[in-house]
Each structure stands twice: as C-alpha cells, then as structure tokens.
Amino acid sequence: MTKEKILVIGASGQIGVELTLALRKIYGEQNVIASDLREQNPLLQGSGPYVSLDVMNKEMLHVQIIRQGVTQIYLLAAILSATGEKNPALAWHLNMQGLLNVLDIAKEEKLNKVYWPSSIAVFGPTSPKKDCPQKTIIEPITVYGISKYAGEFWCNYYFNKYGVDVRSLRYPGLISYKSAPGGGTTDYAIEIFHEALEHEHYTCFLEKDTYLPMMYMPDAIRATIELMEAPREKIKERTSYNLSAISFSPEEIAAEIKKHIPGFSIDYKPDYRLDIAKSWPQSIDDTVARNDWGWQHEFDLAAMTTDMLENLKQ
Ligand code: NAD
C-alpha cells in the first residue's frame, strides 16, 4: 500500500500481538517488524519479521531502526498499573526512558510517525468520576499514572519543539482473548471469562460495584490505526486523546456472562488493586476524539461478552 516500514516495540504483549497482525494486513507482512524483550508470541510466528530488542538499549534500537529502514514506531513496551505498584522504580524507568529513547531517535531520523499509548490511569481521585473530560484536574496516584502523564507532555514537547508527529490515546481497560493481559487493574474483566468457562466461578479482586471504563480489543486496534491514519492537521490534541467505549462493574459483567452460562457465580475478595481502581474515573468523555478524527466504538457489553465466550470456547 505504501512505502512505510513499521516497528512495533512490545509486540508480544496483550495489545502488541493484535496490533501487529492488524498492521500486517494493511501494510504487508514484510513491512511490519515485531520486536520484544521476551520471545516472539506464538501467534506472530510465521506472519512476518521479528527482532529481539530492548527499548532501553538506545544504541541497539537506533541501529535496528536505521538498518531496517523504519519509518514509523508503535511503542507498546511498558510496565502496567498493578505491576508498577510492586516495583515503582522499574516502572518509572522503563515507561519514561523507553519513550524518551524512541522520541529522540524519531527526531534524529525524522521518522514519519510515532504511536505511544497513555491510559485512563493519568486520572486520579480528584478527577471527575463520571464522563471525565479531556481537560480536567489530573492528579494521578500510581507510578504508572504519573509516568503516563509525564509521557503525554513529553510527546507534546517533541511535537511542538521538534515536529515529531507522535500520537497517543488514553486507553481504558482492554478486554481480549488472544494474548494474556500484562498486569493491569482491569485484568479482572478478562480473567472472569476464563474462570467462567473453566470453573463456572470467579473470585474478583474488586468490589461488585467498581465501575471502570473498558473497551473490547477490536475497537482499540481500530481506534489506534484510525488515529495513526488520520491527516496530520486533524490531530489537534498532542498530549493524548480520551478514548471511550463502555463502562461496567464486576456485578454487571457477571450478570451478562450468566445469560450464557446460567450456573456461573461470582464472589469478591478485594485487594490492593481496588484502591487503584477507585482512584480512576468510572466513565470517560471522549467527545474530542469523536470530533477531531471521527472515533466511534462498535462493541457494547452484550456484544463483547458474546464474542469473548464464542472465541474462548474454540
Ligand atoms: P503487556 O505487558 O501485555 O505488553 C508489553 C510488552 O512489552 C511485553 O510483551 C513485554 O515483554 C514488552 N517489554 C517490556 N519491557 C521491554 C523492553 N525493555 N524492551 C522491549 N519490550 C519490552 O502490555 P499491553 O497491555 O500490551 O500494553 C501496551 C501499552 O498499552 C502499554 O503502554 C500500556 O501502558 C498501554 N495500556 C494498556 C492497557 C490495557 O488494558 N492493556 C490500558 C491502558 C494502556
């Protein structure tokens, strides 16, 4: 389709696998290079090039980008919210330095575009709980949220100061069946499907009425690609866009699963992740993304639940 050569960093992770496969369909298998610190995810095997790469090793990263003729980077390597609270120093180091390495190389090599995801974790207890707007009070309380908020302003800085076309979305919790989640607070909404099918029971680490913003992975992948393919002048938010689809509680998703598996039951044993969840908004207002580049979600809770169960049963 084009002469773009795309490098996906963190391609073996929950989003990386599906994003790499989707990009390969658009740009051609050989034009999308998957890379990760850990071994290649089996779902990517045989579908295109893979390089083993540590985003913290700037020199090696730079060499690969020149050698492979990379024109765009999707940076997905990060330490997520729940894991980050267990190792704050490492989370800060990877989430910040990884981004700065990529932005610096993008500037030097004049890459066409960079994608880097932020998260609803930028919001904290002082942000509005319902329909949290694009611009509002932002006082994150997790190291993950702090790193994402700082990262957003680095993206803004590199765009304004050096013209690096870096684009970003504040993903809500992402639900998928292909690749396992990477240690986030919204992981319960994936575990619940696996446990429902295997044991007809799930013990949830949040309370029953903990509402969180969520999205089904096909919507998230489409949002990412639509953002990246939008004309440059349409991308007016150069920190990161609020992005929203659905909001539900553990009790509500359990009720939806029960429609398919009548014997399913749930109980609740909240742990430290409840504090993280309670600091976040329950729903997000993404009007700015919808107006600027035409974002629209497709999957609601019912459609997502049906699709998850059908695919996991196979
Ligand atoms: P993940 O943990 O599943 O995947 C991250 C990948 O990065 C892993 O395969 C890991 O091996 C790799 N990695 C770690 N350190 C690396 C390094 N030094 N060099 C190269 N690769 C390295 O995470 P994910 O869920 O796919 O998330 C991807 C991005 O999206 C992250 O920035 C995350 O903060 C963001 N995000 C995810 C969610 C979600 O619900 N999954 C929500 C909001 C934001």
Side-chain angles (χ1 to χ4, degrees), residues 223-235:
T224 307
I225 293 173
E226 283 178 11
L227 172 83
M228 288 297 275
E229 292 195 336
R232 188 178 167 116
E233 64 277 7
K234 290 209 167 177
I235 308 303

Side-chain angles (χ1 to χ4, degrees), residues 14 172-177 179 181 184-196 202-206 210-217 246-254 256-257 264 266 273 301 304-305 308-309 312:
Q14 191 201 352
L174 301 182
I175 296 159
S176 66
Y177 59 87
S179 182
T185 304
T186 51
D187 288 3
Y188 94 82
I190 299 172
E191 289 171 10
I192 195 169
F193 285 103
H194 290 269
E195 293 298 308
Y202 179 59
T203 300
C204 184
F205 57 75
L206 302 180
T210 320
Y211 280 85
L212 285 171
M214 300 277 191
M215 181 177 283
Y216 197 32
M217 189 62 90
I246 37 183
S247 166
F248 57 79
S249 65
E251 193 176 36
E252 283 180 0
I253 192 173
E256 199 58 46
I257 291 173
F264 177 64
I266 183 166
R273 288 169 283 192
L301 177 58
M304 180 191 77
T305 303
M308 278 293 281
L309 289 172
L312 284 174

Side-chain angles (χ1 to χ4, degrees), residues 9-10 12-16 36-38 53-56 75-78 80 94 117-119 144 148 171-174 180-182 186:
I9 303 173
S12 291
Q14 191 201 352
I15 301 171
D36 206 289
L37 194 57
R38 55 173 149 149
L53 193 149
D54 182 355
V55 72
M56 302 301 278
L75 170 58
L76 304 171
L80 273 64
L94 173 64
S118 182
S119 161
Y144 176 70
K148 288 295 185 190
Y171 288 137
L174 301 182
T186 51

Side-chain angles (χ1 to χ4, degrees), residues 29-44:
E29 288 182 355
Q30 294 309 312
N31 296 324
V32 181
I33 306 154
S35 74
D36 206 289
L37 194 57
R38 55 173 149 149
E39 60 192 22
Q40 176 166 216
N41 188 301
L43 292 168
L44 293 178

Side-chain angles (χ1 to χ4, degrees), residues 273-293:
R273 288 169 283 192
L274 178 62
D275 293 334
I276 302 178
K278 279 190 160 169
S279 79
W280 292 345
Q282 298 177 346
S283 59
I284 300 287
D285 179 345
D286 62 354
T287 312
V288 180
R290 288 174 194 260
N291 289 344
D292 280 8
W293 47 278

